[in-house]
Amino acid sequence: LRSSLAGVILTMLELNLGDVSRFPFIDPPKPAMVREGLAELLELGAVETDGYGTPRLTPVGRRLARIPVEPRLARMLLEASRLATLPSVLPVVAALSCEDPRRRPVDEREKAREAHAHFRVPGSDFLGTLKLWRWYDGEAESASQAKLRKLCKASYLSFPKMREWRDLVRQLVEL
């Protein structure tokens, strides 16, 4: 009820489930939320409307519907592919789709801040995310799972969240 319906609407259109506003939801969304979701999909070029205002998927929309992230993030991937920048954009999109892996224990806040400083890039959170990704992905290529757990702990990173991030990047690469 509080998040964008763009992904739900995109899936419903892909599955030909009919008019979103008439779908028998158990707890139907507010009409304004449906309008906002459709407006987002129009903005992304995922849908177009016919002469009666009925939305239908565009070729871009069909491609977006197959990518398992929010439509705005999926659109970033399509554009990155077109611009040949996918290797840099993929990990950032995956990071935006996952929970932040940085841990900040209350009793060790300063140590965590120092450990995370290694991955900061002044003026760009995105480049900082990419720097963290490149470090972890490089370590994951040769390190055992036990060593990765230790590295994550020393760097105040959640190993399960880092693994989830890496798994999502792999899934997106396969797509």
Side-chain angles (χ1 to χ4, degrees):
L1 292 173
R2 287 178 271 160
S3 59
S4 169
L5 293 179
V8 172
I9 295 168
L10 187 65
T11 301
M12 290 178 71
L13 291 170
E14 174 73 8
L15 296 173
N16 292 316
L17 295 179
D19 187 351
V20 178
S21 62
R22 293 193 179 125
F23 188 80
F25 289 104
I26 292 171
D27 192 4
K30 294 179 181 172
M33 295 295 288
V34 173
R35 283 192 303 275
E36 287 174 22
L38 283 169
E40 181 177 333
L41 293 174
L42 279 165
E43 180 183 325
L44 297 174
V47 297
E48 58 191 9
T49 56
D50 62 15
Y52 303 102
T54 304
R56 57 176 186 253
L57 287 179
T58 64
V60 167
R62 292 196 190 292
R63 291 178 69 197
L64 293 179
R66 287 181 283 218
I67 302 173
V69 295
E70 289 295 316
R72 283 192 182 278
L73 298 176
R75 188 68 174 95
M76 288 171 60
L77 293 176
L78 292 183
E79 193 63 16
S81 178
R82 189 181 74 75
L83 297 172
T85 58
L86 204 50
S88 296
V89 175
L90 254 167
V92 173
V93 164
L96 292 170
S97 298
C98 296
E99 257 185 77
D100 187 350
R102 292 170 290 195
R103 292 178 38 247
R104 296 172 186 87
V106 176
D107 55 333
E108 298 179 48
R109 190 167 286 159
E110 193 54 42
K111 287 181 184 178
R113 187 184 337 245
E114 289 172 20
H116 297 161
H118 175 70
F119 306 112
R120 281 196 198 96
V121 173
S124 178
D125 290 340
F126 294 119
L127 290 177
T129 298
L130 193 55
K131 185 175 182 180
L132 172 59
W133 167 256
R134 288 179 175 156
W135 170 80
Y136 182 77
D137 191 49
E139 293 293 335
E141 288 297 318
S142 59
S144 68
Q145 205 170 37
K147 184 177 179 188
L148 278 176
R149 284 183 187 278
K150 288 179 185 175
L151 283 170
C152 284
K153 186 174 183 177
S155 300
Y156 290 86
L157 300 168
S158 165
F159 174 73
K161 290 176 185 167
M162 293 298 290
R163 187 177 56 204
E164 176 188 343
W165 183 14
R166 193 160 192 255
D167 289 345
L168 181 54
V169 169
R170 278 195 204 131
Q171 289 173 20
L172 293 172
V173 165
E174 288 175 12
L175 283 172

